[in-house]
Amino acid sequence: MKIVKHTITVIMKIAVLLVIVVTQCGYTYVTETYTVTGSDTLQSIAERFITKNTGTVREIREFKEGIRELNFDVIGNGDVRAGETLKITYWEAD
């Protein structure tokens, strides 16, 4: 259990350092909210928003799962439903 806690702590510290480095290199971390419409799927939303992710290179599969993880309390393991409000994050080059 101690090893797991230590590993998580190290990962969190690395993540914070990466955020600091990236923000100092001319990138902005953006958070948007999006309300799902009737024709939306998690895939179509990811495809729409990944084009705004100009600060880093991300694969669509990873970007989609990032949206799911950030909104797990709303969508769980299923797909999105009309009317749900999602948080979507990405890096934008300044």
Side-chain angles (χ1 to χ4, degrees):
M1 189 64 168
K2 258 185 165 177
I3 293 173
V4 172
K5 286 182 181 181
H6 177 70
T7 302
I8 291 171
T9 301
V10 169
I11 290 170
M12 294 301 293
K13 287 179 180 180
I14 291 170
V16 168
L17 287 173
L18 285 173
V19 168
I20 291 169
V21 168
V22 171
T23 56
Q24 296 299 314
C25 294
Y27 300 106
T28 303
Y29 189 68
V30 178
T31 301
E32 287 191 41
T33 57
Y34 177 75
T35 302
V36 179
T37 65
S39 62
D40 285 330
T41 64
L42 189 56
Q43 180 73 27
S44 69
I45 294 167
E47 289 170 356
R48 180 179 306 130
F49 278 90
I50 199 168
T51 61
K52 294 183 175 190
N53 188 71
T54 58
T56 60
V57 176
R58 294 177 77 181
E59 294 181 14
I60 189 67
R61 178 177 40 90
E62 182 265 332
F63 192 76
K64 180 176 98 173
E65 289 309 311
I67 295 172
R68 179 184 307 285
E69 288 175 16
L70 188 59
N71 297 281
F72 196 78
D73 59 322
V74 176
I75 59 177
N77 286 321
D79 208 345
V80 295
R81 292 186 300 261
E84 292 177 328
T85 301
L86 306 178
K87 291 176 269 179
I88 301 174
T89 60
Y90 54 88
W91 289 99
E92 185 175 66
D94 293 337

